[in-house]
């Protein structure tokens, strides 16, 4: 047998932190503070895990959104979407900045009232309003956005019985080029359902139809979808005013603006893809300007922007518990914050930063929470430097939909604090304890 030739193997270190195919860095730069407040100090004082909000970022976001729209259109208001984050301090911050309340249930309606929002500054959305909730909203002169024919019938009945003229808008769903289109909510435009509902209101004359509402979906990165939505809604409003004589005074174009989070399915990061408020505002207001309304009948605009206003103002601070090597050789780092606190980790590749950089030694890591559940994965694969027990990690862009959809599951919900603009720390919500859980159970 002939002797095989030997070639010396070349061992070469792969540095996984080179820019990827799209030229972006594949790891995040270390972060040790939020608005000047040190992360280790936060943990010392409030424990870990910990949700942290930035007052500065919240105010910056809403002011930026308002500026983008109000410099292009004279009459624009924002309504805070309670379900996106209904911590009272956050709702009240938005109310302080002039936002109405946008609620989708009786419980959220009560929450807005308890936050001292005048009832006529509450927009009541949602597909499942009870008769008692509707009556309360009518008596409070709230803006009721009608979802379906049954609700229209109930409202008319209540209006007659109580001799009140409720202020309503109908929720419209339409094809804005976003698929699958959300046609579950409201009356469909293209099939004529929306027009039928408006005709019914005009004929019965029991409800004051002051607006039209549409919320095309969520995390919509296409400004063209908003252009289409605006065109269609503006023409519907014009027809409702001129052909049916309805006193339409506003268009509520819903929420849905994207945040800078990165969707799991997306190749590029959210930071690259997310349109600015100016981009959205330009598409919407330029579409609206193309529609000629009768003299003196300019519509006001309402936006129910949720995630785009809070996502980047929220962080989840977490501590490393341990490292493991999985059977396939991958590094598995376990932290003290699980998916029960971070519902959005099912959708997003959340940005994760450590408190120090070590570019040469970074390793693709599977980052998991403390739950005894295989699905408890915060990131499948994220580049992190070597971590040891008690090292701190910061999970970014968690301000939307987490502190409402979180749950007590295996671990309790932790504290929530806000870094105030003046540098003070304010406890927004205390950690839950076993006693809180037991209080609700029969003995
Ligand atoms: C959830 C919701 C919003 C907020 O949506 P975002 O995508 O977070 O901006 C606005 N309006 C309605 C009716 C909603 O259900």
């Amino acid at each position: 047998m002939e002797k095989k030739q030997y070639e010396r193997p070349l061992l070469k270190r792969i540095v996984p932190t080179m820019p990827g195919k799209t030229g972006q860095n594949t790891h995040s730069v270390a972060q040790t503070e939020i608005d000047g407040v040190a992360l280790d100090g936060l943990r010392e004082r409030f424990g870990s895990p910990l949700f942290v909000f930035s007052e500065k970022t919240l105010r910056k976001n809403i002011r930026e959104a308002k500026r983008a729209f109000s410099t292009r259109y004279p009459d624009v208001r924002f309504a805070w979407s309670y379900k996106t984050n209904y911590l009272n301090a956050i709702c009240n911050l938005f109310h302080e900045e002039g936002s109405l309340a946008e609620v989708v249930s009786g419980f959220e309606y009560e929450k807005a009232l308890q936050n001292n929002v005048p009832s006529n500054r509450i927009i009541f959305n949602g597909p499942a309003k009870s008769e008692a909730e509707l009556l309360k909203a009518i008596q409070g002169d709230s803006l009721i956005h009608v979802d379906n024919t049954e609700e229209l019938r109930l409202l008319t009945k209540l209006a007659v019985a109580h001799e009140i003229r409720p202020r309503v808008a109908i929720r419209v769903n339409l094809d804005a080029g976003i698929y699958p289109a959300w046609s579950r909510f409201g009356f469909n435009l293209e099939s004529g359902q929306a027009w039928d509902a408006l005709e019914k209101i005009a004929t019965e004359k029991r409800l004051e139809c002051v607006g039209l509402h549409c919320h095309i979906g969520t995390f919509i990165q296409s400004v063209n979808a908003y252009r289409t939505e605006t065109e269609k809604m503006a023409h519907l409003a014009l027809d409702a005013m001129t052909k049916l004589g309805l006193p339409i005074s506003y268009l509520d174009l819903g929420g849905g603006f994207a945040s800078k989070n990165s969707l799991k399915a997306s190749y590029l990061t959210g930071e690259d893809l997310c349109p600015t408020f100016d981009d959205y505002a330009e598409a919407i207001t330029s579409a609206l300007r193309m529609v000629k309304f009768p003299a003196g009948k300019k519509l006001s605009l309402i936006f129910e922007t949720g995630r785009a206003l809070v996502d980047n103002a929220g962080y989840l601070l977490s501590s490393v518990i341990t490292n493991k090597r999985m059977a396939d050789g991958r590094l598995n780092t376990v932290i003290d914050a699980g998916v029960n606190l971070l519902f959005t980790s099912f959708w997003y590749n959340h940005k994760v930063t450590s408190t120090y950089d070590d570019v040469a030694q970074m390793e693709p890591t599977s980052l998991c929470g403390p739950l005894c559940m295989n699905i408890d994965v915060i990131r499948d694969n994220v580049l992190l430097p070597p971590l040891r027990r008690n090292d701190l990690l910061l999970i970014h862009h968690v301000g939307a939909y987490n502190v409402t959809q979180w749950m007590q599951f295996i671990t309790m919900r932790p504290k929530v604090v806000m870094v105030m603009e003046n540098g003070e720390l304010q406890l927004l919500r205390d950690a839950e304890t076993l006693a809180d859980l037991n209080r609700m159970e029969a003995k």
Side-chain angles (χ1 to χ4, degrees), residues 109-355:
Y109 188 90
E110 291 299 321
K111 211 166 197 306
L113 287 179
Q114 288 187 17
N115 281 334
N116 295 318
V117 180
S119 52
N120 64 3
R121 288 175 61 87
I122 302 178
I123 293 173
F124 195 4
N125 281 321
K129 310 174 188 86
S130 75
E131 189 167 336
E133 288 161 359
L134 283 173
L135 180 58
K136 183 159 186 180
I138 292 174
Q139 287 170 336
D141 193 29
S142 303
L143 291 166
I144 302 167
H145 288 181
V146 186
D147 180 82
N148 56 67
T149 316
E150 177 72 17
E151 194 180 317
L152 205 53
R153 189 189 64 75
L154 265 175
L155 280 166
T156 309
K157 186 185 99 177
L158 289 169
V160 174
H162 296 268
E163 295 179 0
I164 324 180
R165 225 175 134 80
R167 288 193 304 157
V168 302
I170 63 161
R171 175 159 179 177
V172 177
N173 67 68
L174 48 78
D175 181 350
I178 294 291
Y179 307 107
W182 283 15
S183 59
R184 262 187 60 194
F185 305 105
F187 301 87
N188 182 253
L189 178 73
E190 289 83 4
S191 69
Q193 277 179 356
W195 187 253
D196 288 350
L198 291 170
E199 267 191 329
K200 196 167 159 58
I201 293 172
T203 317
E204 291 179 350
K205 298 189 167 58
R206 292 291 179 179
L207 311 175
E208 183 89 345
C209 189
V210 292
L212 294 175
H213 172 227
C214 181
H215 172 61
I216 50 175
T218 193
F219 206 88
I220 292 167
Q221 290 170 321
S222 152
V223 300
N224 274 330
Y226 285 96
R227 194 190 306 278
T228 308
E229 178 198 14
T230 308
E231 276 165 15
K232 290 189 171 184
M233 291 296 285
H235 281 111
L236 183 63
L238 183 61
D239 284 349
M241 288 152 88
T242 55
K243 296 187 184 148
L244 300 176
L246 292 175
I248 307 286
S249 67
Y250 71 87
L251 280 187
D252 179 337
L253 296 175
F257 299 157
S259 71
K260 292 191 168 62
N261 252 313
S262 306
L263 284 175
K264 286 208 165 177
S266 174
Y267 197 60
L268 293 168
T269 70
E271 314 229 347
D272 293 302
L273 291 172
C274 187
T276 62
F277 287 123
D278 279 307
D279 296 334
Y280 287 117
E282 187 58 33
I284 290 168
T285 57
S286 62
L288 192 55
R289 274 197 295 272
M290 299 303 284
V291 182
K292 293 284 163 266
F293 287 95
K297 298 234 163 159
K298 263 208 158 215
L299 296 178
S300 49
L301 286 180
I302 299 179
F303 293 96
E304 305 167 342
T305 308
R307 71 175 79 235
L309 294 178
V310 281
D311 223 8
N312 68 340
Y315 303 83
L316 180 54
L317 182 65
S318 177
S319 308
V320 171
I321 293 172
T322 191
N323 289 309
K324 301 175 181 180
R325 248 333 127 181
M326 297 195 287
D328 62 4
R330 259 188 317 156
L331 180 63
N332 173 216
T333 296
V334 185
I335 59 174
D336 63 1
V339 292
N340 61 320
L341 307 181
L342 206 66
F343 190 82
T344 55
S345 55
F346 295 118
W347 297 85
Y348 298 133
N349 284 328
H350 279 290
K351 172 177 163 182
V352 179
T353 54
S354 65
T355 54

